[in-house]
Amino acid sequence: MIGKGDKAIHLSSLVHNLTDQLQVLTRGEANFEEEQKDKLAKNQIGIIETEIVEIVHKDGYVKQLVFDDGRTESFDAVYAPVPFVQHLDLPVNLGCELTEAGHIKVDSFQKTNIPGVFACGDSTTMMRSVASAVSTGNTAGAMVNMELTQEEF
């Protein structure tokens, strides 16, 4: 797991559910609080503070990491928190407000700040799952249907 600070601790707790062979790669000084270090130690999660210079892979499958001190270590997978980026400019071009994390800001009915514009799925939440996308899509569809029906009635 590549990361530092609170985010690394949070993601480590999630990834730890998938494997008991986890290490946190901080790419420099870890700067963890004592309580955070204790949590990692309690869960047998190692900390590697050495900078990563290369991720060696074959056909997209991670084989090993190369560190700036020349050491290499084999890994089956590498997890890293990557910042969220909207893949289309459409929401911004329409004037939709974004959250601090870059998601389209919606209310509980999936309405944006622009009348008649709804959004759903991964573009609106950090809860990235098919179930969440389907749920918000269902809500958005129902609300669009309701608004269109009320316009015509």
Side-chain angles (χ1 to χ4, degrees):
M1 218 303 302
I2 298 173
K4 290 185 178 185
D6 294 337
K7 187 168 249 183
I9 297 299
H10 171 70
L11 292 174
S12 292
S13 72
L14 298 174
V15 174
H16 189 260
N17 283 326
L18 305 174
T19 180
D20 61 356
Q21 298 178 337
L22 182 61
Q23 297 190 59
V24 176
L25 309 164
T26 61
R27 302 181 66 211
E29 189 176 345
N31 294 328
F32 289 123
E33 303 289 330
E34 284 305 314
E35 181 183 331
Q36 293 173 322
K37 288 180 188 175
D38 291 344
K39 281 184 181 183
L40 293 173
K42 178 185 113 189
N43 290 287
Q44 300 172 345
I45 298 172
I47 301 171
I48 298 176
E49 295 181 297
T50 312
E51 183 66 49
I52 301 164
V53 295
E54 184 180 2
I55 298 175
V56 179
H57 63 92
K58 180 170 172 57
D59 299 324
Y61 291 95
V62 173
K63 297 297 179 191
Q64 66 181 359
L65 299 184
V66 180
F67 298 94
D68 69 355
D69 62 4
R71 185 171 49 98
T72 63
E73 193 159 337
S74 295
F75 290 91
D76 294 325
V78 178
Y79 296 87
V82 294
F84 177 81
V85 176
Q86 293 287 342
H87 292 284
L88 296 173
D89 293 333
L90 182 62
V92 172
N93 292 342
L94 290 173
C96 294
E97 188 178 344
L98 301 180
T99 66
E100 193 173 294
H103 297 96
I104 302 169
K105 190 172 186 177
V106 294
D107 66 13
S108 58
F109 296 116
Q110 302 305 125
K111 291 182 178 185
T112 69
N113 61 304
I114 305 299
V117 177
F118 295 77
C120 60
D122 291 352
S123 65
T124 63
T125 180
M126 67 178 70
M127 183 62 69
R128 300 180 65 114
S129 73
V130 172
S132 177
V134 169
S135 174
T136 59
N138 185 58
T139 300
M143 294 299 105
V144 167
N145 183 60
M146 183 185 73
E147 283 196 7
L148 291 172
T149 300
Q150 287 181 348
E151 278 181 22
E152 296 296 320
F153 191 72

